[in-house]
Amino acid sequence: MSKSTARFTLDPAFTIGEVNPRLFGSFVEHLGRCVYTGIYEPDHATADEAGLRTDVLDLVRELGVTTIRYPGGNFVSGYKWEDSVGPVEERPRRLDLAWHSTETNRFGLSEYIAFLKKIGPQAEPMMAVNLGTRGVAEALELQEYANHPSGTALSDLRAAHGDKEPFGIKLWCLGNEMDGPWQTGHKTAEEYGRIAAETARAMRQIDPSVELVACGSSSQSMPTFAAWEATVLQEAYELVDHISLHAYYEPIDGDLDSFLASAVDMESFIENVVATADHVGARLKSKKKINLSFDEWNVWYLSRWEEYAKTIDKTGWPEAPRLLEDNYSVTDAVVFGSLLIALLRHADRVTVACLAQLVNVIAPIMTEPGGPAWRQTTFFPFAQASRHGRGEVLDVRVDSPTYETRKYGETDLLHATAVRAEDGTVTVFAVNRSRTEPLPLEVALNGLDLTSVTEHSALADADPDARNTLDDPERVTPHPVEGTALRDGTLTAVLEPLSWNVIRLA
Ligand code: AHR
């Protein structure tokens, strides 16, 4: 047996759990050009009667997103939902403190629901309420406006605004990143735990079946991490269903090897939140389990943004400025794929996840105002995982050659998971973290009636810095890999250096 070969065994008797379709969610925030000139551009040649860009809608469908979180993010902590409903010409322009922009409210709640309907039945709303500058009363008013059928002031107002049918929003976020000092209305864990519990209790009085997400930590590196979750859940355990996690990754000081191992942090973050939530559950002698909503995750060159933010002219309040428009390389897409693998590997407890964000803002889809829309490198792993990552996650324990990283020490070169669909076919998702060496892979298949490889697709490039741009929108796409074989119950493949791989077995 060669030490340079990575191995694992697949056996349908050993599973992690069923993938919740909500794992392939995304996020639309009123930030930069995500909404305006992103999904919504009434003057665009492809715009429909609602002002939605149909070229973007096509790409959103192809991406395979399900749940879409809205309207923020940091934006929600100053959000007045009343501004975003009713006749568009009467909607006020407001200062958005989170992103130092002017919010015109031309796109609002009703337009968001219409956008989801246009995507298709797989698209589900995930609405955040403002617990930064507002509280219980405004959350209840929004819920009544959105969900109550009729016969009350706010439900009748919705109908008068043209939306006779209630929006039926099931999934609600109780604020956003309330642990972060940057958040408008930032709170201590005790303060937030109380307001989250009281908001949840009241929202359940309107509708006991709502599903509620309490804010967890903005990253595992927050000084309050874990203590925050414990305090918040101590207050709200029986009243909420999920606790949120947010994580963004970038190379620090050019350390690509650690960057490629970002999923090590993501997996430990998930496991630590599960441990914390279960500890609180045990202390409370509760039978209930709190699930995880990883409702912001991505590669984000955050330190570049922080540098840029220092230079922004604070006297101007632009409309839909170009903010956070990261252009992703092949390396970024491989890390991104590995983050998807991390989510799938924890599908038993991560039951909601939102790629932040959907269009233009740290996004898989880019647009040019009045111009085309195109796919970033990160588009492909997400679309493939959403299409083929539905079913039961098999328990994958790799025996892999390793490499040394500054941040995480000795790390496996292989990061992998596998999902078994209802029809018995299996898809292996695998990343080779080596920047220089191909990685031979052997997978033993036990008790699986699989006889052929129907596809091996890889995202890799001789230039790991290659990207898709406005001028060259199809520079990077996945390519088929030859030579992958399934014989006598063993799958053999070679994973190119620095690659994201999808291997489908039937
Ligand atoms: O996704 C961009 C921002 O990142 C969100 O507004 C905020 O919640 C997070 O800090």
Side-chain angles (χ1 to χ4, degrees), residues 144-347:
E144 181 186 326
Y145 179 93
N147 283 0
H148 193 68
S150 65
T152 64
L154 291 171
S155 56
D156 290 347
L157 183 64
R158 184 197 64 240
H161 288 159
D163 289 300
K164 195 164 174 302
E165 290 307 314
F167 298 146
I169 303 172
K170 270 260 162 280
L171 190 56
W172 297 83
C173 300
L174 300 170
N176 175 69
E177 293 191 349
M178 298 310 302
D179 63 325
W182 58 86
Q183 199 69 213
T184 311
H186 158 64
K187 295 183 172 35
T188 64
E190 288 76 13
E191 289 164 346
Y192 174 69
R194 292 283 304 128
I195 194 170
E198 291 315 320
T199 309
R201 202 186 316 276
M203 289 181 78
R204 288 201 187 286
Q205 283 181 293
I206 294 185
D207 176 4
S209 76
V210 285
E211 291 180 63
L212 302 174
V213 184
C215 291
S217 293
S218 305
S219 83
Q220 182 159 225
S221 59
M222 291 297 286
T224 48
F225 173 62
W228 172 278
E229 281 77 358
T231 306
V232 168
L233 288 176
Q234 183 71 31
E235 287 292 339
Y237 198 90
E238 297 297 344
L239 295 161
V240 302
D241 305 283
H242 311 263
I243 184 94
S244 76
L245 300 83
H246 291 181
Y248 294 102
Y249 298 95
E250 66 177 324
I252 304 292
D253 300 329
D255 179 6
L256 286 178
D257 284 331
S258 298
F259 177 50
L260 284 161
S262 295
V264 174
D265 178 80
M266 194 189 222
E267 294 207 23
S268 81
F269 189 10
I270 292 170
E271 286 156 20
N272 288 333
V273 173
V274 167
T276 306
D278 288 354
H279 171 74
V280 177
R283 264 189 352 216
L284 296 173
K285 303 188 169 38
S286 176
K287 290 201 168 56
K288 172 178 172 180
K289 288 274 184 233
I290 297 286
N291 283 326
L292 275 50
S293 172
F294 215 125
D295 48 44
E296 287 186 33
W297 68 269
N298 203 348
V299 171
W300 177 11
Y301 285 73
L302 177 59
S303 36
R304 269 188 221 156
W305 153 249
E306 284 169 343
E307 281 310 303
Y308 173 75
K310 287 183 201 151
T311 69
I312 292 177
D313 170 13
K314 291 281 166 25
T315 58
W317 294 83
E319 282 179 34
R322 286 183 189 261
L323 297 179
L324 281 54
E325 299 201 5
D326 285 4
N327 182 209
Y328 293 116
S329 66
V330 169
T331 304
D332 296 327
V334 171
V335 173
F336 180 98
S338 182
L339 300 178
L340 278 164
I341 290 172
L343 293 171
L344 285 166
R345 288 174 61 83
H346 294 84

